[in-house]
Amino acid sequence: MPELPEVESVRKSLEISLEDVGLARIDSLFPGVLTFCPTLAEARLPAKFLGADRRGKMLALRFQGEQTLLVHLRMTGRLYFPNGEEPLLPHTHVLLHLDDQRTLAFSDPRRFGRLVWHVGTPFDRIPELNRLGPD
């Protein structure tokens, strides 16, 4: 399981890698790993990346239009940028297509990791984050 310093390293890396980038499309390759609150139809894409936060071991990628992607890596989850010429890593479940032609992929062999796309909920009122104690 990634420890808190590793999750913070992922957050910092994503904040640099996603600066001035927009999210164009989301593909869920395995049901249940990615959920939408309220629904995918409510997502307002493309959406510009605004920043990355961390609360406990939960990553929060914020996008314009009060949209947030929560990422919990759990035991074996990982985010990576696949090389376009090589096949995706095994157990890749979600693809986030960016407007700069890159893709951010989520892979998790055990399928314990979760991604939740929140639309229209202010960042400070997201239930999954508010349940966590002080950092």
Side-chain angles (χ1 to χ4, degrees):
M1 173 177 254
E3 295 300 328
L4 192 111
E6 294 165 313
V7 176
E8 179 64 14
S9 294
V10 171
R11 184 201 68 78
K12 287 179 180 178
S13 173
L14 287 173
E15 194 154 71
I16 293 167
S17 298
L18 298 177
E19 186 176 8
D20 297 325
V21 173
L23 178 61
R25 190 176 89 238
I26 302 172
D27 289 333
S28 180
L29 307 177
F30 190 88
V33 174
L34 172 65
T35 57
F36 292 89
C37 295
T39 64
L40 173 60
E42 300 293 321
R44 299 178 210 122
L45 298 177
K48 183 177 172 159
F49 175 74
L50 300 177
D53 294 300
R54 180 194 52 77
R55 181 91 184 266
K57 293 183 183 180
M58 182 91 64
L59 292 168
L61 306 179
R62 293 179 291 106
F63 295 88
Q64 74 185 65
E66 281 190 339
Q67 300 185 97
T68 304
L69 178 64
L70 296 181
V71 179
H72 199 304
L73 301 173
R74 303 272 169 102
M75 291 180 73
T76 55
R78 91 182 247 206
L79 292 165
Y80 70 100
F81 289 98
N83 180 342
E85 298 158 12
E86 296 176 5
L88 296 172
L89 290 178
H91 312 290
T92 296
H93 303 305
V94 178
L95 299 174
L96 305 170
H97 300 280
L98 307 174
D99 64 6
D100 65 357
Q101 308 308 313
R102 292 182 300 158
T103 299
L104 178 61
F106 176 74
S107 172
D108 187 1
R110 293 183 147 180
R111 284 184 246 138
F112 292 154
R114 291 289 174 257
L115 285 79
V116 181
W117 182 265
H118 281 275
V119 178
T121 304
F123 180 71
D124 60 348
R125 296 205 178 169
I126 294 175
E128 292 91 340
L129 298 178
N130 287 337
R131 279 183 254 162
L132 300 175
D135 220 12

